[in-house]
Amino acid sequence: MTLLSRTLATALIASTTLTQIAVAAPRPAGPPAPQAAVADPKLAQMKADAVANIDGHAKLVQEMVDSVFSFAEPGFQEYQTMEYLTGILAKNGFTITKGVAGMPTAWTATWGTGGPLIALGSDVDCLLGLSQVPGSPTLKPLVPGAPGHGEGHNAGMPLIIAAAIATKAVMEKNHISGRLMLWPGVAEELLGAKAFYVKAGLFKDVDATIFTHVSSDFGTAYGNLGNNALVSVEYTFHGKTAHAAGMPWEGRSALDGVEIMDTAWNFRREHLPVTQRSHYVITNGGGQPNIVPDLASVWYYFREQNFDSVRNLYNLGNEISEAAAKATGTTVERHLLGYAAPNFANKPMAEAAYANIKAIGMPAWTADDQAFAKAVQQANGRTLKPLPTEIGPLSTPETRERSLGGGSDDIGDIMWTVPTITIRFPSNIPSMIGHNVLSAIAMATPIAHKGAVAGAKAVSLTVLDLMTDPKLLADAKAYFRDVQLKDQKYDPVVAPTDQPAIHLNQELMERLRPKMKPFYYDPKKYPTYLDQLGIKYPNLKTE
């Protein structure tokens, strides 16, 4: 055992012993008490072995993080990412199933027999128009107009894969029964996949799920996380063409229908709850000005806090679209493109994960890491804030500020299906803007690599807790059943006839992929992606 492994084992035993003492005190009646990990030297040794395994795969983590960054594939077009990641998993003894839930880029990787089935997932898609040279403090696209990882999804599945490889090795060595199922969050930025995973029964036999998401901190949370539910829907208006100057009275403008809907919706906003968020883009406004457009489309995101309120918002959008069609003599149809349930994380699992996060601690940032983070912040007018060196407190319903609306994440659909938590891992720089090129700058640098390694350890250790402690899993299921599902149930607007919108981004990638391929990372030739791009880390040039 390495010195690091011995130190971690000692820390884990000490940490769990203190937790046992705290839990032994009388507790008020209510939800199940948080399950303390057993102060068992054998379990501590298994965890230390998992940590050592992940440290031994740090180079693989770096290669995976950099490779997925270089592929830069948006929702439903993650083909290169799929082939690359499933190839690594297949070589490590996992059984691969591609095209799950009717999505060509979706897959599962399974291993194990008997025991609990623990699902592990993270998102893999990127965002349109956010191509960025990694390791450059200033904004500079790799391929102008191309997609890029301005959310940092390139680090999540590499983390999960490293955690799964380590967990599998420990389970085999110690003859632990149990199963792992890895899955990717495809098209998360479109909120386009996870509701269809659930609809297809992908999590039917799963006992618990651990999800990860990139951040600049390292932590987890439980309870209602404040993420909004979301409905993604495209309204398509049908009219009648005519010469726009010679015989406009013969036409019926589909674009008029779109514009009146948008105008009516914007007037109605004033009289909606402050918690709602709604936004749209016109995806088809017609062909040319002298032809009355007979086809026009607008794509809406409706967001609200819970199942009922987002359904009401969606219904209101439908009513306004129909009114706009009547006003313009057109017809309208709608196509559901995606859905996301509100997020609600499991308390016993979060407490177990947090204990492991505390034992692992933040990555050991170097002076170069801190200097690079500061250079990025200075070059882009962001608040100066160093890479954090301490683990923050566990986020709870009592310590979080009340949410008045905001972003969405379709992990919520899985959270309402099986006990689930999200572990945030520290692979990005504080003060960056989400869904922006600023969030891509660090995502193929040592900061991203170290954060992913730390996150992999937290996932692996928490899986081992679930595999070896039946009470923890029982408590997680009890919390899910008796607390989370007490007052509301999973109630999506997804209809039986709705299908994943796998056509999205296809034409875009057919046009841009040839320009992007020369920038794919080749780990056989270059130690890191920065080396391939000729960037010396840390690059502190801000002019």
Side-chain angles (χ1 to χ4, degrees):
M1 192 192 309
T2 65
L3 177 60
L4 175 61
S5 300
R6 288 196 299 271
T7 301
L8 180 66
T10 302
L12 286 166
I13 293 172
S15 172
T16 54
T17 301
L18 290 174
T19 307
Q20 281 184 315
I21 293 171
V23 173
R27 295 179 57 84
Q35 174 64 25
V38 177
D40 179 359
K42 184 177 179 180
L43 176 58
Q45 180 61 60
M46 287 191 289
K47 290 185 172 185
D49 288 346
V51 167
N53 185 295
I54 292 167
D55 283 331
H57 283 100
K59 174 60 178 170
L60 175 62
V61 171
Q62 170 262 308
E63 290 181 358
M64 290 190 290
V65 169
D66 288 1
S67 293
V68 178
F69 182 95
S70 75
F71 301 150
E73 294 175 305
F76 293 123
Q77 304 304 315
E78 308 95 339
Y79 290 98
Q80 187 69 33
T81 302
M82 174 185 68
E83 295 299 334
Y84 173 72
L85 295 179
T86 57
I88 292 170
L89 285 162
K91 290 178 181 177
N92 282 276
F94 288 80
T95 300
I96 309 300
T97 303
K98 298 179 181 179
V100 300
M103 290 170 271
T105 59
W107 49 269
T108 61
T110 56
W111 171 85
T113 57
L117 173 57
I118 308 300
L120 306 176
S122 197
D123 299 324
V124 293
D125 59 325
C126 70
L127 287 152
L128 302 185
L130 300 188
S131 177
Q132 169 63 26
V133 175
S136 168
T138 54
L139 303 186
K140 181 181 179 183
L142 268 171
V143 178
H149 275 287
E151 175 82 352
H153 286 176
N154 60 298
M157 280 310 295
L159 177 167
I160 291 293
I161 290 172
I165 291 172
T167 305
K168 173 177 175 286
V170 171
M171 292 176 66
E172 288 173 329
K173 178 181 177 181
N174 293 276
H175 309 290
I176 298 171
S177 296
R179 294 161 290 156
L180 301 174
M181 182 183 84
L182 280 64
W183 56 273
V186 303
E188 188 277 335
E189 301 298 358
L190 302 171
L191 288 308
K194 297 186 185 74
F196 292 101
Y197 282 165
V198 173
K199 179 184 172 187
L202 200 65
F203 292 83
K204 180 181 178 182
D205 299 318
V206 170
D207 291 290
T209 300
I210 299 176
F211 182 71
T212 67
H213 198 280
V214 65
S215 182
S216 60
D217 67 344
F218 195 10
T220 190
Y222 68 82
N224 186 337
L225 302 184
N227 300 67
N228 274 338
L230 177 146
V231 179
S232 169
V233 55
E234 186 174 50
Y235 296 94
T236 299
F237 288 78
H238 298 270
K240 178 183 176 183
T241 63
H243 193 299
M247 303 178 69
W249 50 84
E250 292 289 348
R252 296 292 181 269
S253 174
L255 181 58
D256 286 351
V258 165
E259 291 185 305
I260 287 181
M261 178 184 178
D262 294 345
T263 301
W265 184 262
N266 287 329
F267 273 104
R268 188 62 179 269
R269 285 180 200 267
E270 180 183 357
H271 309 288
L272 295 175
V274 296
T275 50
Q276 76 86 26
R277 297 288 188 275
S278 52
H279 17 273
Y280 58 84
V281 292
I282 296 175
T283 51
N284 179 6
Q288 59 189 68
N290 64 338
I291 302 175
V292 175
D294 67 339
L295 190 69
S297 300
V298 59
W299 182 5
Y300 270 79
Y301 274 9
F302 299 115
R303 306 183 198 247
E304 252 290 7
Q305 290 193 318
N306 55 50
F307 293 106
D308 290 339
S309 60
V310 81
R311 183 183 290 275
N312 292 337
L313 204 64
Y314 175 47
N315 289 338
L316 178 60
N318 296 340
E319 291 174 5
I320 288 177
S321 74
E322 292 162 4
K326 289 180 180 179
T328 56
T330 61
T331 60
V332 64
E333 61 180 344
R334 60 182 179 268
H335 180 201
L336 187 83
L337 300 180
Y339 179 82
N343 287 192
F344 200 109
N346 190 270
K347 182 178 181 180
M349 288 174 61
E351 289 175 331
Y354 183 71
N356 290 320
I357 290 168
K358 289 283 286 183
I360 294 159
M362 291 294 294
W365 308 120
T366 64
D368 284 347
D369 297 331
Q370 294 288 8
F372 178 69
K374 183 177 181 180
V376 173
Q377 293 163 352
Q378 286 180 323
N380 296 284
R382 308 305 299 166
T383 300
L384 296 183
K385 188 176 180 181
L387 299 171
T389 57
E390 301 291 335
I391 302 296
L394 175 65
S395 177
T396 73
E398 294 75 24
T399 59
R400 285 192 295 275
E401 293 184 3
R402 178 170 174 253
S403 172
L404 292 177
S408 309
D409 192 323
D410 57 358
I411 187 60
D413 293 83
I414 297 169
M415 287 177 159
W416 287 95
T417 305
V418 296
T420 303
I421 58 169
T422 295
I423 293 177
R424 303 182 308 275
F425 61 96
S427 279
N428 218 319
I429 296 172
S431 302
M432 297 297 98
I433 303 172
H435 289 197
N436 186 278
V437 286
L438 294 180
S439 292
I441 290 173
M443 289 311 303
T445 71
I447 294 171
H449 307 149
K450 293 173 186 177
V453 168
K457 294 173 184 177
V459 170
S460 180
L461 270 54
T462 307
V463 174
L464 289 174
D465 286 332
L466 291 166
M467 291 292 189
T468 60
D469 188 353
K471 189 174 187 307
L472 172 59
L473 195 54
D475 286 350
K477 292 181 177 181
Y479 180 86
F480 176 74
R481 180 186 65 245
D482 300 334
V483 178
Q484 182 174 346
L485 301 182
K486 179 181 179 182
D487 298 319
Q488 57 181 321
K489 303 292 189 293
Y490 183 52
D491 184 27
V493 303
V494 180
T497 55
D498 289 325
Q499 298 296 322
I502 58 176
H503 65 283
L504 292 174
N505 297 323
Q506 181 177 347
E507 291 183 5
L508 174 83
M509 288 304 289
E510 287 176 352
R511 176 169 53 86
L512 288 174
R513 196 183 293 275
K515 299 178 182 179
M516 298 167 62
K517 279 187 176 181
F519 292 95
Y520 286 0
Y521 173 46
D522 186 350
K524 294 181 180 178
K525 290 184 178 180
Y526 301 95
T528 71
Y529 194 38
L530 295 186
D531 289 311
Q532 179 170 323
L533 297 175
I535 297 172
K536 182 176 174 56
Y537 183 82
N539 178 8
L540 306 181
K541 297 178 182 179
T542 58
E543 68 275 1

